[in-house]
Amino acid sequence: MKTPLDPRLTVLMVEDERAIRRFVRAALEREGHRVQEAETLQQGLLEAATRQPQLVILDLGLPDGNGIDFIRDLRAWSKTPVLVLSARVEERDKVQALDAGADDYLIKPFGVAELLARVRAVCRRHEGEPGGEAAVSFGTIRVDWAHRQVTRAGEPVHLTPIEFRLLAALLAQPGKVLTHRHLLREVWGPAYVERGHYLRLYMSQLRQKLEADPAQPRHLLTEMGVGYRFSSQ
Amino acid sequence: MNGQTGPARPDPDQLLNRLQQEEDRARRGKLKIFFGASPGVGKTYAMLQAARRAREQGVDVVVGLVETHGRQETAALLTGLEQLPLKEVSYRERTLREFDLDAALARRPTLLLVDELAHSNAPGCRHPKRWQDIEELLDAGIDVLTAINVQHLESLNDVVGGLTGIRVWETVTDRLFDQADEVVLVDLPPDELLQRLKEGKVYLPEQAERAVENFFRKGNLIALRELALRRTADRVDDQREHYQQLTGSPLRATREALLVCIGPEPGQEALIRAASRLANKLNSDWHALYVETPALQRLPESRRRLILDTLKLAQDLGAQTATQAADDIAAAIVAYARDHRLNQVVVGRSRPGRWRGWRRALVDQLARLAPELDLLALARPETPQRTGAATGAATDREPAELAALMRPYAMTLAICLATALAATPLLPYFDLANIVMVFLLAVVGVAVRYGRGAAVLAAFVNVAAFDVLFVPPRFSLAVHDVQYLLTFAVMLIVGLVVGQLTARFRYQAHVANAREARARHLYEMARALSGALAVEQVIEIGERGVEASFRVKTRLLLPDERDRLQPLPVQPGKPKIDTAIAQWSFDRNDPAGLGTDTLPGSSVLYLPLKAPLRMRGVLAVAPERHRLVLIPEQRRLLDTFAALIAIALERVHFVTVARDTLVKMESERQRNSLLAALSHDLRTPLTGLIGLTETLALDLAAEESPHQESLAEIREQAVRLALLADNLLDMAKLQTGGIRLRKEWQSLEEVVGSALRLLEQPLRGHPLRLALDPKLPLLQCDGVLMERVLVNLLENATKYAPTGAAIGVTASVEAEQLRVEVWDEGPGLPAGQERALFEKFSRGHAESATPGVGLGLAICQAVVEAHGGRIQAANRTKGGANFAVTLPLETPPSFEIETEGNPALPAPSESHENPS
């Protein structure tokens, strides 16, 4: 991540609950960001068009409509990152939001630290467009794109073509939750989107090869019921 | 007609059918028959020996009924075998002791002995014949040993009667014998048998001693022995062929099929038996047909009843039976044979020189009509005994019937009188040749209106009247002019011809009307049933439809959820239902009651309503005349009505099911949206609360405020409240009517890893010991819920285990099951509370300072049980608690194997085809 993060962002907050708006605003302003508020979905879309925010924080349960429609509308003309707030029971909503183009989600109730960490991650990802580097490193692992080579603590690790492709798909969007459907489509092709067991098996193989403790992975993280996330930390 | 001359290859349908029979047979009990040539050969003895052998091998053997006839050696074999008590049936002030079928069914032994297969049960027993009892036992899966003599086989009955001059009335259908799993021939040379007879070892009933002496002549015994050996050999032959067919060996190329034509004369049973033997020998299907002409229709009730009995006998012997109404017997037979692809027609041969009956003409007619049919004219043995009842019955017409028959003749006479009176004034003005036309007109009119008989009467009366009143010399029967004889002859012939034609057309019209009416009723009922939406409608339409088409009273019985038929209240004008018989019919999918093999004495016929998927009820039919249900066509039509009603009931059932499902789906949808709204409403204020306290905490920290600690406490409580809300919502979701599992193939390692990451904070103070078998197969489960189980178990461990105490997770495969254990080195569980732990709101220690409401474990249990698994709690031997979850493993899904070492890797977006 080469470009340094611009600390001052314009954030659009679409949330109908005043208390949440208030503490999110306080937390973000403390970091030096500017916060715009919208209470409804319609107002949110209007604000997003006029204010050109660099980040949208969106509550999925809005009184005047479904947050997923908001994302679809927004994605029609903007690449602005979207952070979704959702309640835990709505697994399907989260997957739908991510598939519609949301970048990440936060489960209610969440803390200030968690919120700020996600905001930072989302923005970093969007600031520093990945893909330019010839190699990526995380932990003791180094992936050399040019030579399609993976080493672990300097030792070469053999990956099958599919394992390599899966790793590449995860590394392409660090920190972002990638849904099962997305990964299956990217790695295996559209005919495979319903065959979750392929993904389970290859993730397990990748972890065996790349993680120090496959049962407690540090980089190849599971978002149960949603997908996977690559973390470089 | 004999079309099936294709290559000698087994017909697949036939083979399938046979395999199906084989399968049915495997579920049924096995029947073993001890078969002998005559009484005294030692069948019962052999049967008891077999029973003892079976018992020594540990088989559960019970004696249902054995006739020892006082023989010492046989009685000795009985000792030590369990015997069922006999049922006492009182009949005409006598008490008969009969085999107790219900006791046998209730006792359910593996092997049951029931002697004397041919025995007829006392009236009042469930079945008229013992072989029917045995069929029911076999259906219930009980193996049966039984015994029978050759003369009791239905198809050999005549032959034995002819050989020995002695008839037995108790016969058994050959079907049972042929379908028996094993037949053991108990053979004894005639000399030895006679020796035994002399020694008094053979039981002879006192009253029949003379006859029996006659029976036991050496010549008879040799003939009977030959019959028995032959019959057994035939059976072995069948078995060989059956075996060859199953193993695909060459098969007979053409299939013979017989049609036996039943005439109206008495003594047709012999013809039926002969045809049955022939069909057996040819191993072919056979049909029995009775063609009812208008003349035959006028036979008295008792004669017609006899014909139906003959048809019933044919059915019992395995024939398919039919009656057809037609004018021309030969044409009807040929049409039937062609329709059913029957290439041999069997008719009884008439005695030469006797009356020129329909038979001789029939054979000739058949030969002329259908040269391709093989015709068999069978000898007609003298069988006066059995048919005595019929001959004297020609006049037993009811008075009302007689009156109805006489009416046309009375009317004819009246018309003739009127004609004569009307013609008299015409005499001065018209020629006699013209006046006779008036009389001819009267004859034609009578013939058209009242048929042939009346026409003949009218012809004679008119001729006489014309002669007496008009032809000179008048008022005398004498005729001067010979030419009037021609007038008489013409009048008579015209009358006969017109009468004959009218009768025929009237009959055909009658038959067509009846058919049309039936078709209309069937159509109307089908249409009405298709519109029925409730069970009550189906009952009403069904009962009305059947009652309209037949002269019967009906009731429809429906089962409850446990397949017990609901008794109906007695209603005036409706038949009285015996629910027990109806239930029997329902359970066994067999018709019962009137006209069937089961309790034929009942006045009601019970037809099971079999729909494609299952039994839907029983149709009880009480006909005004019992004859109705004995006519095969009528029965078939009734069956069609029953099938229609059954299908309608099934359709209505599924309509109800679909509606219930819709209601269930709707309520589930509402529940889910309610829970989602509740979840949102609970979490939103908590999010605000936690977020605001944290923001405030940052400010207070900057100010170094003394309230920091209180604020931290507020945050802590809010977090706990959030957890509690989670648990409550989860439990509500699990409790309110079924969990919809979103099962996917999951890797357990991943689920464990995800749970551990969620509990990173609480687990920090505990050393973690993971022991997951690296070769764990994928598990089909709802990943989110399973993660919840592990989170709850681990969280539980962190709550109770003191800081520093180890917490561990182990997973392994044990006997097709996945076993996951979560353990800790804490204080362990209070003794005796391992089960109570999983109850809602229950906690190990009543007054514990540890937070939580105890919902966690209850949730775990609900989730695990929804997956078909079990969860158990126990204390470890080394101290601490251990929670073990076992989950059933399913066959993992298939994978396309990735072939290694393919350097040309397609770009991800292009990899639509198999990755290899």
PDB file of all heavy atoms in Angstrom, chain A residues 30 111-112 160-162 188 192 200 202 215 222 224 228, chain B residues 694 699 730 746 750 753 757 787 896 898 900 905 911 914:
ATOM      1  N   ARG A  30     -13.526  12.696  15.302  1.00  0.00           N
ATOM      2  CA  ARG A  30     -12.338  12.660  16.149  1.00  0.00           C
ATOM      3  C   ARG A  30     -11.102  12.314  15.315  1.00  0.00           C
ATOM      4  O   ARG A  30     -10.000  12.754  15.580  1.00  0.00           O
ATOM      5  CB  ARG A  30     -12.552  11.610  17.244  1.00  0.00           C
ATOM      6  CG  ARG A  30     -11.452  11.541  18.271  1.00  0.00           C
ATOM      7  CD  ARG A  30     -11.768  10.450  19.259  1.00  0.00           C
ATOM      8  NE  ARG A  30     -12.950  10.792  20.040  1.00  0.00           N
ATOM      9  CZ  ARG A  30     -12.892  11.537  21.143  1.00  0.00           C
ATOM     10  NH1 ARG A  30     -11.740  11.999  21.573  1.00  0.00           N
ATOM     11  NH2 ARG A  30     -13.970  11.836  21.808  1.00  0.00           N
ATOM     12  N   GLY A 111     -18.257  -1.689  18.242  1.00  0.00           N
ATOM     13  CA  GLY A 111     -17.560  -0.674  19.036  1.00  0.00           C
ATOM     14  C   GLY A 111     -16.864   0.334  18.138  1.00  0.00           C
ATOM     15  O   GLY A 111     -16.763   0.148  16.924  1.00  0.00           O
ATOM     16  N   VAL A 112     -16.396   1.399  18.777  1.00  0.00           N
ATOM     17  CA  VAL A 112     -15.730   2.475  18.033  1.00  0.00           C
ATOM     18  C   VAL A 112     -14.466   1.961  17.348  1.00  0.00           C
ATOM     19  O   VAL A 112     -14.226   2.221  16.173  1.00  0.00           O
ATOM     20  CB  VAL A 112     -15.402   3.641  18.988  1.00  0.00           C
ATOM     21  CG1 VAL A 112     -14.550   4.674  18.274  1.00  0.00           C
ATOM     22  CG2 VAL A 112     -16.694   4.265  19.497  1.00  0.00           C
ATOM     23  N   THR A 160      -1.188 -26.019  -6.416  1.00  0.00           N
ATOM     24  CA  THR A 160      -1.808 -26.467  -7.668  1.00  0.00           C
ATOM     25  C   THR A 160      -2.347 -25.229  -8.367  1.00  0.00           C
ATOM     26  O   THR A 160      -2.522 -24.175  -7.734  1.00  0.00           O
ATOM     27  CB  THR A 160      -2.970 -27.439  -7.398  1.00  0.00           C
ATOM     28  OG1 THR A 160      -4.033 -26.705  -6.818  1.00  0.00           O
ATOM     29  CG2 THR A 160      -2.570 -28.572  -6.475  1.00  0.00           C
ATOM     30  N   PRO A 161      -2.647 -25.336  -9.679  1.00  0.00           N
ATOM     31  CA  PRO A 161      -3.158 -24.148 -10.388  1.00  0.00           C
ATOM     32  C   PRO A 161      -4.379 -23.541  -9.718  1.00  0.00           C
ATOM     33  O   PRO A 161      -4.499 -22.322  -9.625  1.00  0.00           O
ATOM     34  CB  PRO A 161      -3.499 -24.698 -11.771  1.00  0.00           C
ATOM     35  CG  PRO A 161      -2.610 -25.875 -11.937  1.00  0.00           C
ATOM     36  CD  PRO A 161      -2.412 -26.462 -10.579  1.00  0.00           C
ATOM     37  N   ILE A 162      -5.284 -24.387  -9.249  1.00  0.00           N
ATOM     38  CA  ILE A 162      -6.501 -23.839  -8.636  1.00  0.00           C
ATOM     39  C   ILE A 162      -6.171 -23.160  -7.309  1.00  0.00           C
ATOM     40  O   ILE A 162      -6.698 -22.088  -6.995  1.00  0.00           O
ATOM     41  CB  ILE A 162      -7.550 -24.957  -8.448  1.00  0.00           C
ATOM     42  CG1 ILE A 162      -8.101 -25.338  -9.812  1.00  0.00           C
ATOM     43  CG2 ILE A 162      -8.668 -24.491  -7.522  1.00  0.00           C
ATOM     44  CD1 ILE A 162      -9.178 -26.364  -9.770  1.00  0.00           C
ATOM     45  N   TRP A 188     -13.420 -20.987 -10.337  1.00  0.00           N
ATOM     46  CA  TRP A 188     -13.856 -22.199 -11.055  1.00  0.00           C
ATOM     47  C   TRP A 188     -14.716 -21.884 -12.277  1.00  0.00           C
ATOM     48  O   TRP A 188     -14.860 -22.687 -13.156  1.00  0.00           O
ATOM     49  CB  TRP A 188     -14.644 -23.122 -10.116  1.00  0.00           C
ATOM     50  CG  TRP A 188     -13.765 -23.933  -9.217  1.00  0.00           C
ATOM     51  CD1 TRP A 188     -13.238 -25.152  -9.507  1.00  0.00           C
ATOM     52  CD2 TRP A 188     -13.334 -23.608  -7.904  1.00  0.00           C
ATOM     53  NE1 TRP A 188     -12.486 -25.605  -8.443  1.00  0.00           N
ATOM     54  CE2 TRP A 188     -12.524 -24.671  -7.440  1.00  0.00           C
ATOM     55  CE3 TRP A 188     -13.526 -22.516  -7.058  1.00  0.00           C
ATOM     56  CZ2 TRP A 188     -11.932 -24.687  -6.190  1.00  0.00           C
ATOM     57  CZ3 TRP A 188     -12.940 -22.533  -5.811  1.00  0.00           C
ATOM     58  CH2 TRP A 188     -12.151 -23.602  -5.394  1.00  0.00           C
ATOM     59  N   TYR A 192     -19.950 -23.292 -11.448  1.00  0.00           N
ATOM     60  CA  TYR A 192     -19.611 -23.897 -10.169  1.00  0.00           C
ATOM     61  C   TYR A 192     -20.128 -23.134  -8.950  1.00  0.00           C
ATOM     62  O   TYR A 192     -19.812 -23.487  -7.832  1.00  0.00           O
ATOM     63  CB  TYR A 192     -18.079 -24.038 -10.062  1.00  0.00           C
ATOM     64  CG  TYR A 192     -17.536 -25.138 -10.927  1.00  0.00           C
ATOM     65  CD1 TYR A 192     -17.429 -24.979 -12.301  1.00  0.00           C
ATOM     66  CD2 TYR A 192     -17.130 -26.348 -10.378  1.00  0.00           C
ATOM     67  CE1 TYR A 192     -16.951 -25.985 -13.109  1.00  0.00           C
ATOM     68  CE2 TYR A 192     -16.645 -27.364 -11.170  1.00  0.00           C
ATOM     69  CZ  TYR A 192     -16.548 -27.182 -12.545  1.00  0.00           C
ATOM     70  OH  TYR A 192     -16.073 -28.193 -13.322  1.00  0.00           O
ATOM     71  N   ARG A 200     -14.472 -25.136   0.138  1.00  0.00           N
ATOM     72  CA  ARG A 200     -14.071 -25.599   1.474  1.00  0.00           C
ATOM     73  C   ARG A 200     -12.789 -26.418   1.393  1.00  0.00           C
ATOM     74  O   ARG A 200     -11.854 -26.239   2.150  1.00  0.00           O
ATOM     75  CB  ARG A 200     -15.162 -26.460   2.106  1.00  0.00           C
ATOM     76  CG  ARG A 200     -16.519 -25.830   2.230  1.00  0.00           C
ATOM     77  CD  ARG A 200     -16.535 -24.703   3.258  1.00  0.00           C
ATOM     78  NE  ARG A 200     -17.883 -24.218   3.496  1.00  0.00           N
ATOM     79  CZ  ARG A 200     -18.620 -23.578   2.612  1.00  0.00           C
ATOM     80  NH1 ARG A 200     -18.134 -23.302   1.430  1.00  0.00           N
ATOM     81  NH2 ARG A 200     -19.846 -23.191   2.908  1.00  0.00           N
ATOM     82  N   TYR A 202     -10.447 -26.542  -1.023  1.00  0.00           N
ATOM     83  CA  TYR A 202      -9.232 -25.853  -1.456  1.00  0.00           C
ATOM     84  C   TYR A 202      -8.758 -24.822  -0.436  1.00  0.00           C
ATOM     85  O   TYR A 202      -7.555 -24.614  -0.271  1.00  0.00           O
ATOM     86  CB  TYR A 202      -9.447 -25.222  -2.842  1.00  0.00           C
ATOM     87  CG  TYR A 202      -9.257 -26.232  -3.933  1.00  0.00           C
ATOM     88  CD1 TYR A 202     -10.323 -26.965  -4.422  1.00  0.00           C
ATOM     89  CD2 TYR A 202      -7.986 -26.514  -4.432  1.00  0.00           C
ATOM     90  CE1 TYR A 202     -10.156 -27.924  -5.398  1.00  0.00           C
ATOM     91  CE2 TYR A 202      -7.802 -27.471  -5.405  1.00  0.00           C
ATOM     92  CZ  TYR A 202      -8.878 -28.177  -5.894  1.00  0.00           C
ATOM     93  OH  TYR A 202      -8.682 -29.125  -6.850  1.00  0.00           O
ATOM     94  N   ALA A 215      -5.963 -24.393  11.940  1.00  0.00           N
ATOM     95  CA  ALA A 215      -7.208 -24.284  12.698  1.00  0.00           C
ATOM     96  C   ALA A 215      -7.396 -22.871  13.247  1.00  0.00           C
ATOM     97  O   ALA A 215      -8.496 -22.491  13.618  1.00  0.00           O
ATOM     98  CB  ALA A 215      -7.219 -25.295  13.835  1.00  0.00           C
ATOM     99  N   THR A 222     -12.116 -16.918   7.850  1.00  0.00           N
ATOM    100  CA  THR A 222     -13.465 -17.353   7.478  1.00  0.00           C
ATOM    101  C   THR A 222     -14.487 -16.359   7.999  1.00  0.00           C
ATOM    102  O   THR A 222     -14.411 -15.938   9.155  1.00  0.00           O
ATOM    103  CB  THR A 222     -13.763 -18.720   8.131  1.00  0.00           C
ATOM    104  OG1 THR A 222     -12.696 -19.606   7.833  1.00  0.00           O
ATOM    105  CG2 THR A 222     -15.080 -19.286   7.621  1.00  0.00           C
ATOM    106  N   MET A 224     -18.094 -16.888   8.582  1.00  0.00           N
ATOM    107  CA  MET A 224     -19.031 -18.001   8.523  1.00  0.00           C
ATOM    108  C   MET A 224     -20.359 -17.584   7.888  1.00  0.00           C
ATOM    109  O   MET A 224     -20.938 -16.565   8.257  1.00  0.00           O
ATOM    110  CB  MET A 224     -19.246 -18.528   9.946  1.00  0.00           C
ATOM    111  CG  MET A 224     -19.962 -19.855  10.007  1.00  0.00           C
ATOM    112  SD  MET A 224     -19.275 -21.145   8.947  1.00  0.00           S
ATOM    113  CE  MET A 224     -17.726 -21.477   9.735  1.00  0.00           C
ATOM    114  N   TYR A 228     -14.960 -15.449   2.598  1.00  0.00           N
ATOM    115  CA  TYR A 228     -13.605 -15.428   3.143  1.00  0.00           C
ATOM    116  C   TYR A 228     -13.025 -14.021   3.017  1.00  0.00           C
ATOM    117  O   TYR A 228     -13.472 -13.226   2.199  1.00  0.00           O
ATOM    118  CB  TYR A 228     -12.720 -16.426   2.393  1.00  0.00           C
ATOM    119  CG  TYR A 228     -13.151 -17.843   2.587  1.00  0.00           C
ATOM    120  CD1 TYR A 228     -13.977 -18.474   1.667  1.00  0.00           C
ATOM    121  CD2 TYR A 228     -12.732 -18.570   3.705  1.00  0.00           C
ATOM    122  CE1 TYR A 228     -14.380 -19.769   1.852  1.00  0.00           C
ATOM    123  CE2 TYR A 228     -13.134 -19.873   3.900  1.00  0.00           C
ATOM    124  CZ  TYR A 228     -13.953 -20.470   2.967  1.00  0.00           C
ATOM    125  OH  TYR A 228     -14.346 -21.753   3.165  1.00  0.00           O
TER     126      TYR A 228
ATOM    127  N   GLU B 694     -18.393   4.249  24.312  1.00  0.00           N
ATOM    128  CA  GLU B 694     -16.990   4.174  23.890  1.00  0.00           C
ATOM    129  C   GLU B 694     -16.463   5.556  23.485  1.00  0.00           C
ATOM    130  O   GLU B 694     -15.318   5.904  23.803  1.00  0.00           O
ATOM    131  CB  GLU B 694     -16.847   3.177  22.736  1.00  0.00           C
ATOM    132  CG  GLU B 694     -16.910   1.742  23.241  1.00  0.00           C
ATOM    133  CD  GLU B 694     -16.627   0.730  22.153  1.00  0.00           C
ATOM    134  OE1 GLU B 694     -16.337   1.136  21.011  1.00  0.00           O
ATOM    135  OE2 GLU B 694     -16.715  -0.467  22.463  1.00  0.00           O
ATOM    136  N   ASP B 699     -13.263  10.528  25.480  1.00  0.00           N
ATOM    137  CA  ASP B 699     -13.234  11.887  26.016  1.00  0.00           C
ATOM    138  C   ASP B 699     -12.806  11.881  27.474  1.00  0.00           C
ATOM    139  O   ASP B 699     -11.968  12.682  27.902  1.00  0.00           O
ATOM    140  CB  ASP B 699     -14.633  12.524  25.910  1.00  0.00           C
ATOM    141  CG  ASP B 699     -14.991  12.816  24.469  1.00  0.00           C
ATOM    142  OD1 ASP B 699     -14.044  12.892  23.637  1.00  0.00           O
ATOM    143  OD2 ASP B 699     -16.184  12.942  24.165  1.00  0.00           O
ATOM    144  N   ASP B 730     -32.055 -16.262  19.117  1.00  0.00           N
ATOM    145  CA  ASP B 730     -31.706 -17.578  18.569  1.00  0.00           C
ATOM    146  C   ASP B 730     -32.668 -18.631  19.076  1.00  0.00           C
ATOM    147  O   ASP B 730     -33.176 -19.460  18.324  1.00  0.00           O
ATOM    148  CB  ASP B 730     -30.282 -17.955  18.976  1.00  0.00           C
ATOM    149  CG  ASP B 730     -29.267 -17.391  18.005  1.00  0.00           C
ATOM    150  OD1 ASP B 730     -29.699 -16.979  16.913  1.00  0.00           O
ATOM    151  OD2 ASP B 730     -28.077 -17.356  18.341  1.00  0.00           O
ATOM    152  N   GLN B 746     -19.349 -28.299   4.986  1.00  0.00           N
ATOM    153  CA  GLN B 746     -18.448 -27.446   5.743  1.00  0.00           C
ATOM    154  C   GLN B 746     -17.230 -28.252   6.177  1.00  0.00           C
ATOM    155  O   GLN B 746     -17.320 -29.452   6.377  1.00  0.00           O
ATOM    156  CB  GLN B 746     -19.147 -26.918   7.003  1.00  0.00           C
ATOM    157  CG  GLN B 746     -20.391 -26.100   6.744  1.00  0.00           C
ATOM    158  CD  GLN B 746     -20.079 -24.702   6.258  1.00  0.00           C
ATOM    159  OE1 GLN B 746     -18.918 -24.308   6.147  1.00  0.00           O
ATOM    160  NE2 GLN B 746     -21.122 -23.955   5.943  1.00  0.00           N
ATOM    161  N   GLU B 750     -12.590 -25.282   9.721  1.00  0.00           N
ATOM    162  CA  GLU B 750     -12.948 -23.912   9.442  1.00  0.00           C
ATOM    163  C   GLU B 750     -13.958 -23.385  10.479  1.00  0.00           C
ATOM    164  O   GLU B 750     -13.857 -22.257  10.953  1.00  0.00           O
ATOM    165  CB  GLU B 750     -13.581 -23.869   8.052  1.00  0.00           C
ATOM    166  CG  GLU B 750     -13.485 -22.557   7.371  1.00  0.00           C
ATOM    167  CD  GLU B 750     -13.792 -22.731   5.897  1.00  0.00           C
ATOM    168  OE1 GLU B 750     -14.978 -22.881   5.568  1.00  0.00           O
ATOM    169  OE2 GLU B 750     -12.846 -22.733   5.082  1.00  0.00           O
ATOM    170  N   GLY B 753     -12.126 -22.833  13.636  1.00  0.00           N
ATOM    171  CA  GLY B 753     -11.269 -21.655  13.510  1.00  0.00           C
ATOM    172  C   GLY B 753     -12.079 -20.372  13.621  1.00  0.00           C
ATOM    173  O   GLY B 753     -11.688 -19.415  14.309  1.00  0.00           O
ATOM    174  N   ARG B 757     -11.876 -17.456  16.535  1.00  0.00           N
ATOM    175  CA  ARG B 757     -11.569 -16.055  16.257  1.00  0.00           C
ATOM    176  C   ARG B 757     -12.593 -15.130  16.913  1.00  0.00           C
ATOM    177  O   ARG B 757     -12.261 -14.060  17.403  1.00  0.00           O
ATOM    178  CB  ARG B 757     -11.543 -15.821  14.742  1.00  0.00           C
ATOM    179  CG  ARG B 757     -10.893 -14.511  14.351  1.00  0.00           C
ATOM    180  CD  ARG B 757     -10.341 -14.577  12.957  1.00  0.00           C
ATOM    181  NE  ARG B 757     -11.410 -14.831  11.998  1.00  0.00           N
ATOM    182  CZ  ARG B 757     -12.175 -13.863  11.471  1.00  0.00           C
ATOM    183  NH1 ARG B 757     -12.012 -12.616  11.828  1.00  0.00           N
ATOM    184  NH2 ARG B 757     -13.117 -14.165  10.601  1.00  0.00           N
ATOM    185  N   GLU B 787     -21.268 -23.053  14.136  1.00  0.00           N
ATOM    186  CA  GLU B 787     -20.313 -22.120  14.740  1.00  0.00           C
ATOM    187  C   GLU B 787     -20.866 -21.633  16.079  1.00  0.00           C
ATOM    188  O   GLU B 787     -20.145 -21.550  17.077  1.00  0.00           O
ATOM    189  CB  GLU B 787     -20.114 -20.939  13.800  1.00  0.00           C
ATOM    190  CG  GLU B 787     -19.163 -19.890  14.317  1.00  0.00           C
ATOM    191  CD  GLU B 787     -19.237 -18.613  13.490  1.00  0.00           C
ATOM    192  OE1 GLU B 787     -20.234 -17.859  13.633  1.00  0.00           O
ATOM    193  OE2 GLU B 787     -18.325 -18.372  12.702  1.00  0.00           O
ATOM    194  N   GLU B 896     -14.329 -33.191  -8.987  1.00  0.00           N
ATOM    195  CA  GLU B 896     -13.556 -33.445 -10.192  1.00  0.00           C
ATOM    196  C   GLU B 896     -12.102 -33.276  -9.796  1.00  0.00           C
ATOM    197  O   GLU B 896     -11.717 -32.252  -9.233  1.00  0.00           O
ATOM    198  CB  GLU B 896     -13.926 -32.424 -11.273  1.00  0.00           C
ATOM    199  CG  GLU B 896     -15.315 -32.642 -11.815  1.00  0.00           C
ATOM    200  CD  GLU B 896     -15.873 -31.402 -12.480  1.00  0.00           C
ATOM    201  OE1 GLU B 896     -15.077 -30.567 -12.939  1.00  0.00           O
ATOM    202  OE2 GLU B 896     -17.105 -31.279 -12.531  1.00  0.00           O
ATOM    203  N   GLU B 898      -8.364 -32.492  -9.803  1.00  0.00           N
ATOM    204  CA  GLU B 898      -7.524 -31.554 -10.536  1.00  0.00           C
ATOM    205  C   GLU B 898      -6.257 -32.267 -10.962  1.00  0.00           C
ATOM    206  O   GLU B 898      -5.576 -32.873 -10.150  1.00  0.00           O
ATOM    207  CB  GLU B 898      -7.171 -30.386  -9.604  1.00  0.00           C
ATOM    208  CG  GLU B 898      -6.405 -29.302 -10.285  1.00  0.00           C
ATOM    209  CD  GLU B 898      -5.912 -28.290  -9.275  1.00  0.00           C
ATOM    210  OE1 GLU B 898      -6.071 -28.536  -8.059  1.00  0.00           O
ATOM    211  OE2 GLU B 898      -5.373 -27.290  -9.689  1.00  0.00           O
ATOM    212  N   GLU B 900      -2.548 -32.424 -11.934  1.00  0.00           N
ATOM    213  CA  GLU B 900      -1.419 -31.570 -11.540  1.00  0.00           C
ATOM    214  C   GLU B 900      -0.511 -31.237 -12.720  1.00  0.00           C
ATOM    215  O   GLU B 900      -0.575 -31.886 -13.777  1.00  0.00           O
ATOM    216  CB  GLU B 900      -0.603 -32.287 -10.471  1.00  0.00           C
ATOM    217  CG  GLU B 900      -1.180 -32.141  -9.081  1.00  0.00           C
ATOM    218  CD  GLU B 900      -0.786 -30.822  -8.443  1.00  0.00           C
ATOM    219  OE1 GLU B 900       0.103 -30.148  -8.988  1.00  0.00           O
ATOM    220  OE2 GLU B 900      -1.378 -30.484  -7.410  1.00  0.00           O
ATOM    221  N   LEU B 905      -1.937 -22.013 -17.340  1.00  0.00           N
ATOM    222  CA  LEU B 905      -3.078 -21.731 -16.468  1.00  0.00           C
ATOM    223  C   LEU B 905      -3.956 -20.675 -17.106  1.00  0.00           C
ATOM    224  O   LEU B 905      -3.488 -19.581 -17.405  1.00  0.00           O
ATOM    225  CB  LEU B 905      -2.551 -21.229 -15.125  1.00  0.00           C
ATOM    226  CG  LEU B 905      -3.561 -21.150 -14.010  1.00  0.00           C
ATOM    227  CD1 LEU B 905      -4.019 -22.517 -13.596  1.00  0.00           C
ATOM    228  CD2 LEU B 905      -2.937 -20.412 -12.846  1.00  0.00           C
ATOM    229  N   SER B 911     -11.826 -19.167 -17.119  1.00  0.00           N
ATOM    230  CA  SER B 911     -11.821 -20.568 -16.689  1.00  0.00           C
ATOM    231  C   SER B 911     -13.226 -21.110 -16.528  1.00  0.00           C
ATOM    232  O   SER B 911     -13.629 -21.533 -15.486  1.00  0.00           O
ATOM    233  CB  SER B 911     -11.073 -20.691 -15.381  1.00  0.00           C
ATOM    234  OG  SER B 911     -11.755 -19.924 -14.413  1.00  0.00           O
ATOM    235  N   ASN B 914     -13.825 -27.022 -17.124  1.00  0.00           N
ATOM    236  CA  ASN B 914     -13.245 -27.708 -15.967  1.00  0.00           C
ATOM    237  C   ASN B 914     -11.828 -27.252 -15.721  1.00  0.00           C
ATOM    238  O   ASN B 914     -11.023 -27.209 -16.650  1.00  0.00           O
ATOM    239  CB  ASN B 914     -13.244 -29.218 -16.190  1.00  0.00           C
ATOM    240  CG  ASN B 914     -14.647 -29.740 -16.239  1.00  0.00           C
ATOM    241  OD1 ASN B 914     -15.585 -28.990 -15.980  1.00  0.00           O
ATOM    242  ND2 ASN B 914     -14.781 -30.991 -16.585  1.00  0.00           N
TER     243      ASN B 914
END
